[in-house]
Structures are given as structure tokens and as C-alpha cells.
Amino acid sequence: MGIRIYNTLTKRKEDFIPRQPGRVDIYQCGVTPYDYTHMGHARQYVLWDIIRKYLRYRGFQTFCVQNVTDIEDKIIARAAAKGISPSELARQFDQEFLETMEALGVEPPDVYPRVTDHIDDIIAVIDGLVRNGHAYETENGVYFDVASFPGYGKLSGRTRDEMLAGARVEVDEKKKDPADFALWKKAKPGEPAWNSPWGPGRPGWHIECSTLALKYLGSGFDMHGGGTDLIFPHHENEIAQAEAYTGKEPFVRYWVHHEMLNVDREKMSKSLGNLFTVRDVLRDFRPEEVRYFLVSTHYRSPANFGVAELESARSALDRLLNALDAIDHALKSFASSSSPAGQGTPAEVIPDSDSKTGEGPEGSSILAQELIQQIEKARRDFIEAMDDDFNTAGALGALHSLARAANTFLRRKPMPTSAEEVAGLKAARETLLELGDLLGIYPRGIQTAGTDHDLFERLIEFIVEVRDSARRRKDWQVADEIRDGLGRLGIILEDTPQGTRWKKERI
């Protein structure tokens, strides 16, 4: 089975067949930068970051275009209120958006086109629509003639009355039909404007995305992303403009829409005053905890947002990280006990037949065989979940199943005593890291290796050895001072029957 995707256009899951074998072209609607990036934005861009990573994991090349609507009514109004130019406001919040995405570990798109850099391209598409009879001019602007496009409504499935009720339509008595929407808005005094065949003005919102998608991806590209709030009118209008202009369909092969975030079961929105900015959330929660929260619900299901949900994500993520810490501790204990002092690598496997629960084929531990089976199952379950319409919640379930299997192994065998058991624990660690990295849910640098990192670890382990020596001498005051001093530095010590474990405090 390959990847299956729910296509909003056909209202069903479909086998994913890209336009070009081995390559996936993606367009996602970018932000209108007039305010701080909020958690609703985060849901979209974290989702597509994961989709791109997973597609590459499955052997595809990806190419992603994400626009920036850096001129729009909201930008003009907000800039006027702040007493700055629209371009200055847009640059300010565009930079904030990019910094926020970097903080969340979202890789940038391949192309990041700004609308104001593509006015000539937009004018050319509008001119083509006028020439082929799909658009017309009034004294206020240029409008798309909805009646000229028989397929209008095929994405949203709305009736004409529903369209009029749900659309943000410009009031203009000269329009042929109330449902017709603006392609070009003639400038009012004091507004930013560009010259065009219809006089000074600026593009309408919808034509921007159609133009930029066609310019960089062409007609019939693979995936278009955005929230369900964009299905109508924005994406419906994108289809009408693009297919009327090119005379070809489909404009997009797979339309992928995520559901909204809710607060107290109500849609998060500026009008309700319940928006949470990402920068505020990151004051109290780590980026990886925010990502974990966002991927813990399937993208087509509404997700309730709040402190309780974020704390639940923190606890769940810590269970995965604690499993990795436990594996690391067991492997380090094995290396220390089977190596010459200070070497850090096993000189030989310690024979300890009494500690084994049994022997399998070729002398391998039954415990090791069971762990390898759980690793293989976790990978299968992860892929099966992600292949099924990018079910990140199911993928997380596979990771937690593997973490539980590793913990069960370590409860029964706190330190490995055979090559098979060492290999099994290493494979469990690598699988947890590899699959978790596809979701981006681990702290950055969790796999970092290098001189500074190795030196840091050796220093901490030396301090732990000094403390262990104090405990053996029953010098509890010194042992406690070392533990408390490390704690103030963010290093947590845990005394276990298998020895002292240490880990960094997750802050």
C-alpha cells in the first residue's frame, strides 16, 4: 500500500499518484503579515513540515511554494493605525513569522514569493481573464465573472445561496452578479497602488495565489494546503481563476485542508478574542512540546487548545525522552563495565548466562528477539499510520508502543549482557530517534555528537563518579551538595539500583 490522502475536491481518500514520478510539488497559502503569528498558523505550517519530511522519507523529492500576502486591506488598516507604511508593517511581521517558524523547527519553503514582487505577473493573469471573457472592468475594479465558469462550487459543494452568505464580496452596484469577486481593486486616495491597464490599484486576495502557484508550479501540480476556513471562498476562487485562465483542469490534484484549533470548544479566531500567539506560548512551553501537541490530533480533526492540553503533551513527550535516557544509561553502564577504565567502548561482551531469560536461535537472548520484533512492528505501524492520510496521532502511538517495549526490556534486564541485547537497545534508540525526528518532536541537538558535547558528558560523568565515591564513604553531606549543585545547573541525578543516572532538565 502506498500513501492515501483525503482530497477535499473529491470528498474521499485517494491513492496518491504525483504528477511527476518521484517528485511532489506543493503550494500552501502563506500568512498576511499584519500581526503576530498565532497557534492556528502553527498548526498549518508544522503539519506541512511533517508532510514534506515524511514524503522525503518515503523516497519523494519535494518542492514547496509558500506565498506572502504583503499587501492587503488588513495590512493597510493596521499600518495606518500605527502610523507606518504598509510595507514597513508587512516586513516587521513577516520577519516575526519567519523567526517563529524557525523556533518551531519548521523548515522554510523552497520558494517564498512576496505578492508585491509579482505585481506584473498578477496583472498578466488578470488581463488574460479579461481577454477570454471571464472578467470585466467597473469603475471600482476588475471582477471575475462567476457565471462564466460552470465548475464554480465544485470544491466547497456550496449552493449559490450558501456562497453568497459565506463570501467576503465587495460591494459594487456595477457588478454583474453579487457573487463576482475582485481581481483588481482601483486605488482610493492615500492607498498603495501600482499602474495597470485599468488604472492604479492593487490585486485582489484570491488572484495572488492562483498567479504564484501557476508561475512556480504550473497547472496540475500535486498538493495545495490550507485551513478549512479557506475552502470557500479563497480556494474555490483560486480554482475558478486558474482553470479559466489556462483552460486546463485540474488546477490542483489533491486539496489538503486541516481543521481549526478550538479554545473551550470554540474556533480560535481574532473576532472572538481567543487567539494565542506562538511567542506567548513559547514563554511557558518548549517548541518540541508545542509540536507534540499539534501532531497529537489528526489534522482533519478539530483540536482543543489550552494549558491542560499543552501540559498533557509535555508529559507524553517526557515519557519518550525518559525512555531514551534509560536506554542511554543502560548502554553506558554496559560500556563502563566491559571496558578498561576510561576507554568508553566495550572491550568484550560480558558472559552472564544466568541473567538471561533464555536462549533463542544462535544463542541470542529471547528478550533481545522480543525487542527486535517490537522495533519492526513500531516501524510498520508508524508507516501505516502516516501512509493513511498523514495520521500523526497514530504515528505517535507507534513511538509510545516502542518506548514501552524498551522500558519493559530494561525492567527485566537493567543492563545488557550480550551482543544481541546491546544491538537491540541500540536499534530501539535509533528507531525512536529516527521516527520521532520525522515528526520533529525532540529537542534540537538530541543526537548531537562532537568534541564539546563529548567533553560535557565526560565532565558530568566524572562529577557523578566523585559523588558515588562520597556515597560509598557515607559522606552524605558532600553527595547532597554535589546533587544540589548540579540540580541548580539543570542536571538531574536519579539514584537507581543500577547506579546513578543523570539527565538535563527539560526547560
Side-chain angles (χ1 to χ4, degrees):
M1 288 289 290
I3 295 172
R4 289 177 60 79
I5 301 174
Y6 183 86
N7 188 350
T8 307
L9 184 64
T10 60
K11 312 296 186 295
R12 64 176 184 269
K13 284 184 187 178
E14 300 178 350
D15 293 334
F16 176 62
I17 304 173
R19 172 175 60 178
Q20 180 180 338
R23 176 187 169 105
V24 182
D25 291 317
I26 299 166
Y27 185 92
Q28 53 173 322
C29 287
V31 294
T32 302
Y34 72 99
D35 208 342
Y36 292 104
T37 307
H38 57 72
M39 287 297 298
H41 294 136
R43 187 175 204 194
Q44 171 173 331
Y45 300 113
V46 167
L47 166 67
W48 282 97
D49 182 63
I50 292 168
I51 289 176
R52 292 165 67 191
K53 285 182 170 69
Y54 185 71
L55 288 170
R56 291 197 293 269
Y57 174 76
R58 295 290 273 142
F60 294 97
Q61 293 180 325
T62 64
F63 185 79
C64 179
V65 179
Q66 179 183 317
N67 75 301
V68 186
T69 302
D70 58 347
I71 186 65
E72 204 259 354
D73 292 349
K74 294 186 182 71
I75 294 175
I76 295 171
R78 182 75 182 274
K82 292 174 71 72
I84 60 177
S85 69
S87 61
E88 183 180 352
L89 181 87
R91 284 195 303 272
Q92 172 189 335
F93 284 111
D94 181 35
Q95 183 61 34
E96 187 272 341
F97 169 77
L98 293 173
E99 291 171 357
T100 300
M101 291 301 104
E102 182 180 8
L104 290 176
V106 174
E107 66 179 49
D110 298 286
V111 181
Y112 192 64
R114 292 172 171 81
V115 166
T116 55
D117 293 334
H118 294 78
I119 298 296
D120 289 344
D121 297 310
I122 294 169
I123 289 173
V125 173
I126 296 172
D127 186 58
L129 289 168
V130 172
R131 291 176 183 274
N132 65 19
H134 287 287
Y136 59 91
E137 181 182 5
T138 74
E139 59 189 43
N140 292 320
V142 179
Y143 293 91
F144 186 86
D145 185 354
V146 169
S148 73
F149 186 72
Y152 194 73
K154 61 185 175 182
L155 180 68
S156 64
R158 295 192 179 202
T159 65
R160 176 178 170 77
D161 288 343
E162 290 171 334
M163 290 178 188
L164 288 174
R168 286 190 283 171
V169 295
E170 292 75 18
V171 177
D172 185 346
E173 294 179 355
K174 303 295 184 179
K175 290 198 300 183
K176 294 180 179 179
D177 189 299
D180 295 347
F181 54 89
L183 303 175
W184 186 260
K185 298 181 177 183
K186 294 184 179 180
K188 297 175 182 177
E191 290 184 344
W194 289 261
N195 290 327
S196 79
W198 317 282
R202 66 180 188 278
W205 174 35
H206 313 299
I207 193 63
E208 299 166 354
C209 284
S210 295
T211 299
L212 294 174
L214 289 173
K215 178 179 178 66
Y216 289 101
L217 300 174
S219 184
F221 64 90
D222 298 303
M223 295 184 185
H224 194 313
T228 53
D229 57 332
L230 296 182
I231 294 174
F232 187 87
H234 186 51
H235 290 163
E236 192 76 73
N237 292 351
E238 275 192 57
I239 292 173
Q241 294 162 152
E243 294 183 0
Y245 175 72
T246 63
K248 300 176 183 177
E249 59 177 298
F251 168 48
V252 179
R253 298 165 68 85
Y254 302 88
W255 286 90
V256 181
H257 290 97
H258 65 272
E259 264 294 352
M260 300 293 99
L261 286 183
N262 295 330
V263 178
D264 295 329
R265 311 302 166 185
E266 286 192 296
K267 174 186 169 183
M268 184 184 292
S269 70
K270 192 175 290 290
S271 61
L272 293 175
N274 62 358
L275 278 183
F276 286 81
T277 66
V278 176
R279 69 175 190 156
D280 287 342
V281 173
L282 289 179
R283 291 192 180 104
D284 298 312
F285 294 90
R286 307 190 304 269
E288 58 270 20
E289 292 167 346
V290 174
R291 281 187 70 116
Y292 190 103
F293 159 73
L294 291 169
V295 304
S296 61
T297 303
H298 190 280
Y299 77 89
R300 284 196 294 112
S301 296
N304 200 62
F305 173 83
V307 171
E309 287 79 9
L310 286 168
E311 288 178 342
S312 176
R314 171 181 287 167
S315 297
L317 176 58
D318 279 349
R319 289 196 293 274
L320 292 177
L321 295 174
N322 287 338
L324 286 166
D325 286 342
I327 293 171
D328 285 344
H329 178 69
L331 292 173
K332 288 175 184 175
S333 297
F334 171 78
S336 298
S337 64
S338 60
S339 305
Q343 296 301 305
T345 54
E348 60 181 351
V349 174
I350 301 173
D352 186 7
S353 58
D354 291 341
S355 68
K356 293 182 182 180
T357 58
E359 296 290 339
E362 302 178 359
S364 65
S365 163
I366 290 176
L367 276 179
Q369 292 179 61
E370 292 174 349
L371 183 57
I372 291 296
Q373 290 171 359
Q374 289 298 316
I375 293 167
E376 294 170 350
K377 182 178 186 302
R379 187 177 294 277
R380 287 195 305 271
D381 290 348
F382 185 98
I383 292 172
E384 182 178 335
M386 290 298 289
D387 277 357
D388 184 14
D389 197 26
F390 308 115
N391 183 359
T392 54
L396 282 177
L399 286 176
H400 279 282
S401 292
L402 178 54
R404 287 192 294 272
N407 288 333
T408 298
F409 176 99
L410 291 171
R411 279 195 297 271
R412 299 168 68 184
K413 199 69 167 292
M415 188 177 76
T417 54
S418 72
E420 290 82 5
E421 290 171 356
V422 170
L425 284 175
K426 287 182 176 179
R429 182 183 191 277
E430 290 168 1
T431 303
L432 283 169
L433 288 172
E434 178 191 10
L435 300 182
D437 275 348
L438 290 175
L439 302 178
I441 57 171
Y442 294 138
R444 295 183 192 183
I446 193 172
Q447 299 190 68
T448 299
T451 303
D452 292 342
H453 181 75
D454 293 342
L455 177 60
F456 170 80
E457 286 207 348
R458 291 201 299 271
L459 284 171
I460 297 300
E461 287 164 2
F462 172 73
I463 294 171
V464 169
E465 288 175 8
V466 172
R467 178 175 177 270
D468 286 344
S469 178
R471 294 178 74 214
R472 285 193 293 272
R473 297 192 312 269
K474 300 187 185 303
D475 191 343
W476 307 118
Q477 181 177 350
V478 169
D480 290 347
E481 286 176 354
I482 293 174
R483 180 197 62 204
D484 296 343
L486 288 175
R488 288 191 293 272
L489 296 173
I491 304 298
I492 307 301
L493 301 186
E494 296 178 354
D495 295 317
T496 75
Q498 294 78 43
T500 302
R501 292 170 48 182
W502 68 269
K503 63 182 179 180
K504 293 181 184 179
E505 185 178 11
R506 309 193 209 283
I507 57 174

